[in-house]
Amino acid sequence: MSVKVRFAPSPTGKLHVGNVRTALVNWLFAKGQGGQFVLRIDDTDLARSTPEFEQGIEDDLRWLGLVWDERHNQSKRFDRYEAAAEALKAAGRLYACYETAEELDRRRKVQLSRGLPPIYDRAALALTDPEKAAYEAEGRRPHWRFKLDGRRVAWEDLSRGHAEVDTASMSDPVLIREDGLFLYTLPSVVDDLDMAITHVIRGEDHVTNTGAQIEIFEALIAAGWGGAVPGFAHMPLLVGADGQALSKRLGSLSISEMRDQGYEPIAIVSHLGRIGTSDPLEVGESIEALGAGFAFSKMGRSPARYDTADLDRLNAQALHAMPYATARSRLADVDADLGEDFWTVVRANLQKFGDVVEMARLVRGPVTPVIEDPDFMATAARLLPETIDAGAWSAWTEAVKAETGAKGKALFQPLRLALTGQTHGPEMAALIPLIGREEMIARLTSG
């Protein structure tokens, strides 16, 4: 069976780390199996969905490398959802309810006070046609519930193993609101059937929902809809580095914000794709390589810990391994393309790509030298080799040491401060050939 999965975000906000992890795992699983990844925009809420958020979702996914094979908008498929609703009504599985939110809330409170589970009592099934007409005359409009079988629904979960949900312990889910708006569940099931989705992959907070959705799948198939019930995988959720729920600030961190902060796409997907698995938390060679190595059997049952320190480490790792051919156009964009030798020297000191601007300044200036002993620097300038090549730093510092007696930090730190104005940075032996002799003399004698 060819694998086909889907990611169905709502264009009512920006993509954040939580839902991007869901998209990523779907993509990795599909591509690792040679399958297809479907982007399905859940824009049935026409009032809250915007073209700007929809475009943002596409831009973020492309930037991360999560390119889709098919793309659909649910707002263009209302006729299919209407047809599915009619099929379920004809089969006696979708029924009209007229209770208000306040009436339902009172019933739940009474049930709880009596020690009963707060599930819907199916009172609407006993309504007569005259009673329904009376409600309609009052101006009430029905919401529509799916009648569950009330049985144990079982499936083999790719992530959790054998799973069961007792739908007898659940309220019949509302599929259509009073205003006629379809809630998420019915369009999702219809689309999964129509689009031949083979696996639904999402967070473990959806396990209970899956029991009801499998019943809806089966009811539509029995009504002649066609298709097959997909397989399921429910991943452990993300938690913070301390094991607690992600803070609101971190949990809502958008991909566009992470891009603005200088994170590399491969660092983000390597981090989100490997936390909570048995794979080492290292940067992948490519997103395709991550897909080739993905397996649910590597995924643990404990929540995956999202630690920004790990992401920072992976981001630096990605930059340190980035070839000049990859970096070249980006260097030009920030006016920091000083050649391949420059990139090879400075990349090991980068945490974010934007740091390269400061590295370029160290080479071509302007730099404000820090000189505490002008006489020492005058001596160093006099002893500077005529040719500044890979061996110049070693020969130069040995000569300065021999004449001044300075050694260790007392030798190296003043020279670094005079040439760069900083206490740390790239290896001086590799940096000074980039700066050049004339500029070095100017900085050494500026005091």
Side-chain angles (χ1 to χ4, degrees):
M1 177 180 61
S2 177
V3 168
K4 191 175 186 182
V5 302
R6 45 73 167 180
F7 175 54
S10 297
T12 56
K14 296 181 178 181
L15 288 184
H16 54 78
V17 293
N19 49 31
V20 163
R21 178 171 176 253
T22 299
L24 173 64
V25 172
N26 272 278
W27 193 96
L28 295 177
F29 174 68
K31 296 306 174 180
Q33 303 289 321
Q36 294 181 298
F37 174 75
V38 176
L39 174 60
R40 194 166 75 208
I41 302 296
D42 178 6
D43 54 354
T44 54
D45 188 342
L46 301 177
R48 296 177 60 228
S49 299
T50 71
E52 291 76 19
F53 283 133
E54 185 173 333
Q55 185 63 54
I57 288 168
E58 293 188 13
D59 292 344
D60 287 345
L61 292 177
R62 285 196 187 97
W63 181 70
L64 290 169
L66 302 179
V67 181
W68 50 92
D69 300 289
E70 291 181 19
R71 188 195 176 289
H72 304 276
N73 282 73
Q74 290 188 317
S75 61
K76 300 185 185 306
R77 293 177 48 78
F78 284 119
D79 59 332
R80 294 296 288 166
Y81 312 144
E82 294 285 358
E86 292 305 314
L88 292 176
K89 291 175 185 178
R93 299 301 296 272
L94 195 61
Y95 61 98
C97 304
Y98 290 85
E99 297 94 345
T100 64
E102 293 76 14
E103 289 168 345
L104 290 172
D105 186 55
R106 283 198 297 272
R107 286 190 198 175
R108 281 190 291 268
K109 289 177 179 177
V110 169
Q111 288 171 315
L112 288 170
S113 69
R114 295 175 178 173
L116 300 173
I119 61 176
Y120 181 61
D121 59 8
R122 292 181 168 173
L125 285 173
L127 290 175
T128 63
D129 288 340
E131 287 172 327
K132 293 178 183 179
Y135 280 131
E136 296 274 354
E138 288 179 19
R140 295 197 190 194
R141 293 294 178 265
H143 57 273
W144 295 81
R145 291 181 183 267
F146 177 80
K147 185 180 179 183
L148 294 167
D149 287 334
R151 59 181 171 87
R152 298 199 72 82
V153 177
W155 70 93
E156 296 304 315
D157 198 285
L158 287 176
S159 180
R160 300 167 61 86
H162 184 75
E164 292 188 7
V165 170
D166 185 0
T167 60
S169 64
M170 302 166 57
S171 291
D172 290 340
V174 176
L175 301 189
I176 307 174
R177 298 193 327 189
E178 291 86 348
D179 60 5
L181 182 69
F182 290 99
L183 297 182
Y184 168 80
T185 305
L186 184 59
S188 177
V189 169
V190 171
D191 289 346
D192 288 342
L193 289 172
D194 284 355
M195 297 171 193
I197 300 301
T198 62
H199 296 82
V200 174
I201 302 169
R202 53 194 180 183
E204 62 184 7
D205 52 331
H206 288 282
V207 168
T208 300
N209 300 340
T210 296
Q213 288 174 9
I214 287 176
E215 286 203 18
I216 299 171
F217 276 111
E218 293 173 343
L220 281 172
I221 293 169
W225 196 263
V229 180
F232 290 88
H234 293 88
M235 306 176 292
L237 301 178
L238 290 178
V239 296
D242 57 2
Q244 302 301 309
L246 282 180
S247 68
K248 184 176 182 181
R249 180 194 64 79
L250 183 59
S252 62
L253 188 62
S254 72
I255 296 302
S256 60
E257 289 174 312
M258 296 176 76
R259 181 169 63 243
D260 292 343
Q261 290 172 9
Y263 287 105
E264 299 295 311
I266 190 61
I268 296 173
V269 297
S270 295
H271 185 222
L272 289 175
R274 286 183 163 172
I275 52 175
T277 76
S278 58
D279 283 330
L281 195 52
E282 304 292 340
V283 170
E285 179 182 337
S286 65
I287 191 171
E288 291 78 14
L290 291 173
F294 177 84
F296 280 107
S297 59
K298 297 179 180 181
M299 192 172 285
R301 291 296 300 274
S302 300
R305 292 181 181 249
Y306 185 94
D307 189 341
T308 52
D310 287 330
L311 176 59
D312 289 338
R313 177 178 62 82
L314 294 182
N315 200 72
Q317 189 182 100
L319 292 171
H320 299 172
M322 184 179 292
Y324 176 66
T326 302
R328 186 172 184 176
S329 64
R330 295 173 63 185
L331 289 169
D333 288 342
V334 293
D335 190 26
D337 184 8
L338 303 187
E340 186 168 4
D341 289 345
F342 165 76
W343 174 251
T344 302
V345 168
V346 305
R347 64 183 177 180
N349 291 85
L350 304 179
Q351 300 300 308
K352 303 286 179 61
F353 190 88
D355 298 342
V356 77
V357 173
E358 174 63 15
M359 297 294 107
R361 188 186 66 80
L362 295 184
V363 171
R364 66 188 177 195
V367 165
T368 303
V370 177
I371 297 176
E372 296 179 351
D373 187 344
D375 292 338
F376 178 83
M377 288 306 151
T379 299
R382 177 170 53 81
L383 296 172
L384 190 64
E386 289 296 323
T387 301
I388 307 300
D389 55 18
W393 174 256
S394 177
W396 181 39
T397 53
E398 284 297 322
V400 175
K401 175 182 176 182
E403 182 151 336
T404 65
K407 58 183 179 180
K409 187 175 181 180
L411 170 64
F412 301 119
Q413 191 76 305
L415 294 176
R416 177 182 284 279
L417 284 168
L419 292 173
T420 70
Q422 298 182 352
T423 59
H424 60 279
E427 289 291 329
M428 293 301 293
L431 186 64
I432 61 172
L434 299 173
I435 297 174
R437 191 176 192 279
E438 183 178 345
E439 178 67 15
M440 289 177 68
I441 291 290
R443 296 180 191 183
L444 291 168
T445 58
S446 66

